[in-house]
Amino acid sequence: MIIKKLWWFFRLEKARYLIGILSLSFVSILNLIPPKVMGQVIDSIDAKNLTMGSLLTKLVILLAAAIGMYLLRLIWRVFLLGTSYRLGTILRGRLFEHFTQMSPSFFQKYRTGDLMAHATNDINAVVSLAGGGVMSAVDASITALVTLLTMFFVLDWRLTLIAIVPMPFLSWGTGLIGRKNHESFKAAQEAFSDLNNKVQESVSVIRVTKSFGYQEADTQSFAQTNQEVYEKNVLAAKYDSLFDPLVLLFIGLSYVLTLIFGGIFISQGQFTIGELVTFITYLDMLVW
């Protein structure tokens, strides 16, 4: 697993990653405040007891939460995304040093285009994993846990259980598409390597090609390779584009269940309109 192979870097930068993860965690907590405040304001308006003093107090709370989230998001971007760029610098340096120590037979065995792809596209993909990938995984996990616990214990445990019924099916579907996406992305990376190699070979012998009049044949060969890269990237994009519709399908079902049963609970006096608004906003955060 790629995460295990990068563990040496996470240990090397554990202090910076820890600060970034803690900042993400506090953002997830502060993110719970605005929906709660909005729900309270809506209930006050519905009960016709909203005063200017209480409204100003809630506005101050919202402003403080916004400033706190802004500063914390700045911190985690610097300490997570910024640190990941150092990984790219280290990997590129090690890879170049490795190339300089290889024998001539190594460069006969491996194509120049492949080696160039490793030094560019592949390293950029690893850097994205160490930065945005870690951020997404940690943020989604912490946000899901904190939000789910708040929905269950603070709002209504029954409505929470009803709303998350579609979630296991969503997880299964995205997992299936994710595997297909991984396979297609790998094929696209390999095609990009072939394209790199084709360009390098064509440019290195361009004088010979022009001398013997092989330009048209070489152009056609490049066009075929370029088309293969296009087709494999389109396939990868198709699998990637399936994520949002699948998510919207199951999330739409969650919203429908929430509105139906939330409306029933409100009619029975067991829930308020403001709490339903807060719950739906938390559900949206849980989806993310």
Side-chain angles (χ1 to χ4, degrees), residues 133-146:
V134 171
M135 180 276 297
S136 297
V138 173
D139 187 30
S141 301
I142 295 175
T143 299
L145 179 62
V146 172

Side-chain angles (χ1 to χ4, degrees), residues 67-86:
I67 294 174
M69 285 188 287
Y70 171 80
L71 294 175
L72 290 170
R73 281 172 176 155
L74 177 63
I75 292 173
W76 73 248
R77 279 177 170 82
V78 170
F79 282 90
L80 289 184
L81 300 183
T83 303
S84 68
Y85 294 132
R86 188 186 174 202

Side-chain angles (χ1 to χ4, degrees), residues 212-250:
F212 287 92
Y214 293 153
Q215 298 97 314
E216 184 176 350
D218 195 48
T219 300
Q220 290 177 354
S221 177
F222 174 81
Q224 182 180 354
T225 303
N226 196 26
Q227 181 66 23
E228 291 176 357
V229 173
Y230 166 76
E231 291 174 356
K232 291 181 179 180
N233 275 280
V234 167
L235 180 61
K238 286 180 178 178
Y239 281 120
D240 187 56
S241 64
L242 288 175
F243 268 94
D244 285 347
L246 184 68
V247 168
L248 290 175
L249 174 65
F250 288 106

Side-chain angles (χ1 to χ4, degrees), residues 125-157:
V126 174
V127 170
S128 296
L129 172 66
V134 171
M135 180 276 297
S136 297
V138 173
D139 187 30
S141 301
I142 295 175
T143 299
L145 179 62
V146 172
T147 305
L148 190 61
L149 291 176
T150 303
M151 293 167 64
F152 192 90
F153 291 105
V154 177
L155 292 175
D156 192 288
W157 64 270

Side-chain angles (χ1 to χ4, degrees), residues 18-261:
L18 181 60
I19 293 174
I21 291 173
L22 286 176
S23 299
L24 268 176
S25 303
F26 286 122
V27 168
S28 298
I29 295 174
L30 289 178
N31 216 23
L32 298 172
I33 296 177
K36 184 66 175 177
V37 172
M38 286 190 297
Q40 292 173 347
V41 171
I42 291 173
D43 282 338
S44 296
I45 294 174
D46 184 55
K48 297 181 175 58
N49 58 7
L50 180 65
T51 63
M52 182 60 68
S54 64
L55 181 60
L56 289 176
T57 300
K58 289 177 171 54
L59 289 176
V60 170
I61 294 174
L62 288 176
L63 180 61
I67 294 174
M69 285 188 287
Y70 171 80
L71 294 175
L72 290 170
R73 281 172 176 155
L74 177 63
I75 292 173
W76 73 248
R77 279 177 170 82
V78 170
F79 282 90
L80 289 184
L81 300 183
T83 303
S84 68
Y85 294 132
R86 188 186 174 202
L87 174 63
T89 302
I90 295 174
L91 291 180
R92 278 188 288 269
R94 290 183 178 181
L95 185 60
F96 185 81
E97 182 180 358
H98 177 73
F99 287 162
T100 60
Q101 296 174 356
M102 292 295 100
S103 63
S105 61
F106 172 84
F107 296 98
Q108 293 176 353
K109 180 179 179 182
Y110 296 99
R111 300 178 303 176
T112 303
D114 292 338
L115 301 180
M116 291 175 60
H118 289 318
T120 54
N121 246 32
D122 292 352
I123 287 181
N124 289 336
V126 174
V127 170
S128 296
L129 172 66
V134 171
M135 180 276 297
S136 297
V138 173
D139 187 30
S141 301
I142 295 175
T143 299
L145 179 62
V146 172
T147 305
L148 190 61
L149 291 176
T150 303
M151 293 167 64
F152 192 90
F153 291 105
V154 177
L155 292 175
D156 192 288
W157 64 270
R158 299 167 302 172
L159 193 57
T160 302
L161 293 178
I162 293 171
I164 64 175
V165 166
M167 297 301 177
F169 301 99
L170 173 62
S171 179
W172 173 82
T174 53
L176 178 63
I177 296 177
R179 288 190 293 272
K180 293 292 185 180
N181 196 17
H182 174 75
E183 294 170 1
S184 61
F185 178 76
K186 182 179 179 181
Q189 290 288 87
E190 293 174 352
F192 178 78
S193 176
D194 292 337
L195 183 66
N196 262 352
N197 191 66
K198 177 60 181 175
V199 172
Q200 189 274 333
E201 289 178 348
S202 297
V203 171
S204 64
V205 297
I206 189 66
R207 292 182 179 180
V208 177
T209 301
K210 292 177 70 67
S211 298
F212 287 92
Y214 293 153
Q215 298 97 314
E216 184 176 350
D218 195 48
T219 300
Q220 290 177 354
S221 177
F222 174 81
Q224 182 180 354
T225 303
N226 196 26
Q227 181 66 23
E228 291 176 357
V229 173
Y230 166 76
E231 291 174 356
K232 291 181 179 180
N233 275 280
V234 167
L235 180 61
K238 286 180 178 178
Y239 281 120
D240 187 56
S241 64
L242 288 175
F243 268 94
D244 285 347
L246 184 68
V247 168
L248 290 175
L249 174 65
F250 288 106
I251 295 316
L253 180 58
S254 290
Y255 286 138
V256 169
L257 293 174
T258 298
L259 289 173
I260 291 174
F261 287 93

